Each structure stands twice: as C-alpha cells, then as structure tokens.
Amino acid sequence: MNIKPLRSAGEYLQHHFERNGKRPFIKQEDSSNYISYSEFLERVQKTANVLLNKDLTPNQRIVLELDNSLQGLTVFFAMLFAKIVPIVVSP
C-alpha cells in the first residue's frame, strides 16, 4: 500500500493553486475581471509573510472576524499558509 504523507493545508492549497495557475479563482462582482489562482497565491504568500513578521507563530490560534470580501479570504488563506490556526467568527 502506497500512502502519501499528509501535508499541511497551506502546502495542499499551494499545490492546487500552482496547478491551476492562470485559471480564474475569483470573478469580481458585476465585472468580467477576475483574479487567477496564481495572482491569489501571490497575495496570500505576501500576507502570510507579513503575519509571520508580526510575531505570529505557527500553531498559534487567532480569532478572525471575517467579512465577505477578497481581503478576508486572503487573510484566512494566509493564516493557513503560515500554519496559524484561524478561529473564524461572523461579524
């Protein structure tokens, strides 16, 4: 039996985002403009680096109040990439 080791959520998502590259990830409301998987991955990686440079550490739990926005989604995914545990609450 060939079992692959489990990856972190961030590693799994990075692989998925890189594989889908230029495909649309999010289409902007009321527009034909979209953000591709690779563009979103770049935003997420930059945000993850900012979080880690703010003295947040992997496995740290952070309460995150999210609105329904691209910025909220970016921060949520960035936390996963940085291995920070988001505890999501509704505004």
Side-chain angles (χ1 to χ4, degrees):
M1 180 182 264
N2 226 358
I3 298 176
K4 292 183 181 181
L6 293 175
R7 297 186 284 185
S8 71
E11 289 170 334
Y12 172 80
L13 293 169
Q14 181 168 352
H15 171 75
H16 182 74
F17 286 4
E18 288 173 347
R19 189 176 48 155
N20 286 290
K22 298 293 180 189
R23 292 181 57 205
F25 176 70
I26 295 176
K27 185 176 177 187
Q28 296 181 5
E29 196 172 325
D30 300 326
S31 171
S32 62
N33 294 332
Y34 68 88
I35 296 171
S36 70
Y37 277 88
S38 57
E39 291 168 330
F40 186 70
L41 175 60
E42 184 178 330
R43 289 177 186 219
V44 166
Q45 289 172 327
K46 285 180 182 178
T47 305
N49 287 331
V50 169
L51 293 173
L52 293 172
N53 288 329
K54 296 285 184 188
D55 294 328
L56 297 174
T57 58
N59 297 318
Q60 186 172 357
R61 288 165 176 80
I62 302 294
V63 174
L64 182 63
E65 186 176 319
L66 282 179
D67 58 353
N68 190 12
S69 69
L70 178 59
Q71 292 79 15
L73 189 62
T74 301
V75 171
F76 177 80
F77 276 93
M79 290 176 77
L80 295 178
F81 271 70
K83 297 182 182 177
I84 299 168
V85 181
I87 301 170
V88 181
V89 297
S90 191

